[in-house]
Amino acid sequence: MKESYYCNPAIRCFLFILFSVSGSVHGRHDHGQLMVPCFFIFGASSFDNGNNNALPTLAKANYPPYGIDFPAGPTGRFSNGRSIVDIISEFLGFDDYIPSFASTVGGENILKGVNYASGGSGIRAETGQHAGARISMDGQLRNHQITVLSLINRLGQNESAAKEYLNKCIYAAGLGTNDYVSNYFLPSLYPTSRIYTPEQYALVLAQQYSRQLKTLYTNYGARKVALFGLAQLGCAPSVVASKGATNGSACVDYINDAVQIFNNRLKELVDELNRNLTDAKFIYVNVYEIASEATSYPSFRVIDAPCCPVASNNTLILCTINQTPCPNRDEYFYWDALHLSEATNMFIANRSYNAQSPTDTCPIDISDLARLLLY
Ligand SMILES: *[C@@H]1O[C@H](CO)[C@@H](O)[C@H](O)[C@H]1NC(C)=O
Ligand SMILES: *[C@@H]1O[C@H](CO)[C@@H](O)[C@H](O)[C@H]1NC(C)=O
Ligand SMILES: *[C@@H]1O[C@H](CO)[C@@H](O)[C@H](O)[C@H]1NC(C)=O
Ligand SMILES: *[C@@H]1O[C@H](CO)[C@@H](O)[C@H](O)[C@H]1NC(C)=O
Ligand SMILES: *[C@@H]1O[C@H](CO)[C@@H](O)[C@H](O)[C@H]1NC(C)=O
């Protein structure tokens, strides 16, 4: 049974029915109960919660109006409120949001997990370098090593106890967006689009990501891993503004096409990792599909413009400092010209935690992943 959990559609439908039944027994969100002991987060700006604040970079969001709907105000989160991983941490039963790596130096508050995500970063090391400093996926893994060493230290140098603990955590990884918008599709600054076709680029990205995820599995004991696919980047207001939508589409189709090639590779990678690493479970979250459905929901009335004013000194992506954003933020799909509003984050987090359609996640959703007994 276990070895046939693939992202292959035929099997996936069957599993969706199977797990939907068990889901209704357990209830929608498992409020009050901690589902897993720890949650570790790797990613770029959409998951970043302050790791870039002290770095010399334009890719930071620690000023108003970022955080206008967040209890702590501006924190470094690239939204008006909570990120997708903040909302998932609530669903998993955590009382506090997972701390940024930047805030855990000294190893005090690491037991419930750490967020390593860094705005502008990518799977590839050079991705995002035009905006300044950032922590690439390899750098995030090196930071995780620091966390793991201090965890071992806190457990009386008992490495097997630390591995056992790390086996039970959930790991979220959401990299790849910047490898497109802050690399491949900036041909004046990066050569990748002259070296690789979109198919070749998706393949080299997936191969590098695969090595990084295997490091997480082999060296650091990750066994429950959720991989977030890319959204329709060709529809982001900053991308449409800089590239120009054509052919009657509201989006830049060739960018969405390239993103979908990568997403398909990522799905294949999930199947392959599940086949090869049978004591672990990897899942794919279909952000592209979930977010596309959100854009046709009547509650999202503005899907093609940012809620906050953006300025050219921020390459027309980030909110201008101290400018008043739109009042009806829940009706906006985008918060700034690239990042999603809290309302959209909520929509995506809901369906990644409890899939509502067999295409939302595969082979299982995050609530199933949390409940899964791997041994
Ligand atoms: C280390 O932890 C394991 C698992 O928790 C336990 O069985 C073992 O006794 C511990 N070893 C030492 C030396 O404390
Ligand atoms: C418009 O269509 C042409 C021909 O199909 C294609 O080459 C081009 O990339 C499209 N433009 C955009 C912006 O998607
Ligand atoms: C899975 O194992 C096969 C056969 O050993 C190997 O060719 C492939 O590269 C592995 N894939 C991954 C993602 O580990
Ligand atoms: C961007 O430019 C505007 C106008 O020149 C300025 O007021 C603002 O401080 C700059 N920086 C940011 C982060 O918006
Ligand atoms: C997400 O789920 C919560 C809790 O079930 C619900 O209150 C909220 O309306 C949902 N939001 C969206 C956008 O689906």
Side-chain angles (χ1 to χ4, degrees), residues 155-162 164-165:
L155 296 175
Q157 300 302 334
N158 188 333
E159 245 181 85
S160 63
E164 230 171 76
Y165 189 76

Side-chain angles (χ1 to χ4, degrees), residues 31-105:
H31 280 303
Q33 179 197 356
L34 199 54
M35 299 291 291
V36 288
C38 31
F39 182 26
F40 289 96
I41 298 154
F42 300 83
S45 51
S46 61
F47 291 175
D48 190 348
N49 64 347
N51 286 308
N52 278 16
N53 291 354
L55 298 183
T57 175
L58 297 173
K60 59 173 100 185
N62 57 344
Y63 58 87
Y66 286 101
I68 188 169
D69 297 312
F70 194 72
T75 55
R77 286 169 172 79
F78 288 74
S79 188
N80 53 310
R82 294 165 295 169
S83 70
I84 293 172
V85 287
D86 289 329
I87 299 162
I88 289 171
S89 77
E90 290 175 4
F91 292 161
L92 290 170
F94 291 99
D95 292 334
D96 299 317
Y97 297 116
I98 303 304
S100 65
F101 177 74
S103 73
T104 64
V105 178

